[in-house]
Amino acid sequence: MITETEFGEILNLFNEGLQKEIQTHKQKLPYACCLSTEGLDGFPNARFVSLKEIRNGEFIITGTITSRKGDEINNNHNVALTFWWPETQQQVRIQGIAEPISGPVLDVYFGERNRESQIVSVVSDQGKELNELEELVLKFDAVANNPEISEIQRPDNWGGYAIAPIRIEFLVFSESRFHDRTLYERNGQLWQKKRLQP
């Protein structure tokens, strides 16, 4: 049976599941999710990223925008995010439209990264072919050990995307194998809710 609900109720379900996973104190990376894109060669492509926050109903991720994932998103804005929370045996699948974000908020996100991660973002051209690891290490050390560099500036090729969801599916695993699956799909301003067979 299909019913309708508001997006705020769906976000509450997501946040409740996330907080429950965090409260188990076993899961170190509850914000980790798998970002799937369409590769430039037509093959699907997937990698793990970290959800920064949900802002204005959109899922925010960040990273090097000149990497393969950036090229793929720029070519096709249709993406998917998949969360797996092992402690609570839940999976959340999200399909949506990714658009680049800009402005001072990017500096805020970059500033929240630890110093080592910031330096790697500066010295590494993510995803490009590596000739000698030692060269990259020397670049890292040159920045890390420079007493005149107290604050790492966000490089121009580091940005982020806001993913506006069009479908969100919650799956709660059951030992009986009759898993509880609920799909929410956007229909104008409202969302349609339907139960799916496991």
Side-chain angles (χ1 to χ4, degrees):
M1 181 178 70
I2 297 176
T3 58
E4 291 187 333
T5 188
E6 294 183 354
F7 187 48
E9 296 179 16
I10 305 170
L11 289 183
N12 286 339
L13 287 174
F14 179 88
N15 285 321
E16 287 171 5
L18 177 60
Q19 292 305 314
K20 187 175 181 181
E21 183 74 10
I22 292 173
Q23 290 167 8
T24 62
H25 301 296
K26 296 179 181 179
Q27 172 62 287
K28 294 182 179 180
L29 298 172
Y31 294 94
C33 53
C34 182
L35 169 68
S36 300
T37 54
E38 180 188 33
L40 300 182
D41 56 2
F43 282 89
N45 209 353
R47 77 287 287 159
F48 280 89
V49 298
S50 179
L51 175 71
K52 291 300 180 182
E53 65 173 331
I54 301 174
R55 190 184 67 195
N56 299 326
E58 297 177 324
F59 292 75
I60 307 298
I61 62 170
T62 59
T64 305
I65 58 177
T66 53
S67 64
R68 180 179 295 181
K69 68 175 175 290
D71 291 340
E72 292 172 351
I73 291 174
N74 291 337
N75 183 65
N76 185 340
H77 293 263
N78 298 339
V79 303
L81 290 176
T82 305
F83 293 83
W84 167 239
W85 297 326
E87 302 303 329
T88 52
Q89 297 286 287
Q90 288 192 77
Q91 173 184 270
V92 183
R93 299 168 60 198
I94 299 167
Q95 292 175 298
I97 312 299
E99 295 293 345
I101 56 179
S102 60
V105 68
L106 285 176
D107 293 323
V108 175
Y109 291 140
F110 188 75
E112 292 172 346
R113 295 165 60 83
N114 63 52
R115 184 176 173 84
E116 289 76 17
S117 296
Q118 290 178 341
I119 296 174
V120 169
S121 296
V122 170
V123 302
S124 174
D125 197 358
Q126 188 183 74
K128 301 301 186 290
E129 184 175 356
L130 176 66
N131 294 318
E132 292 290 341
L133 178 60
E134 184 62 25
E135 294 179 7
L136 207 55
V137 173
L138 289 174
K139 289 181 180 179
F140 180 95
D141 291 342
V143 176
N145 299 325
N146 188 335
E148 297 182 1
I149 302 178
S150 59
E151 182 177 348
I152 307 299
Q153 299 297 316
R154 176 178 63 86
D156 292 337
N157 67 342
W158 195 95
Y161 297 93
I163 300 171
I166 60 170
R167 296 185 193 92
I168 303 178
E169 181 192 315
F170 295 88
L171 185 150
V172 181
F173 277 73
S174 170
E175 292 184 2
S176 70
R177 308 305 297 176
F178 286 107
H179 310 312
D180 183 6
R181 295 180 64 186
T182 305
L183 173 65
Y184 296 89
E185 190 164 14
R186 190 173 66 193
N187 181 22
Q189 296 300 313
L190 291 176
W191 286 70
Q192 291 186 333
K193 172 184 177 182
K194 63 179 74 172
R195 299 290 296 276
L196 303 179
Q197 298 186 40

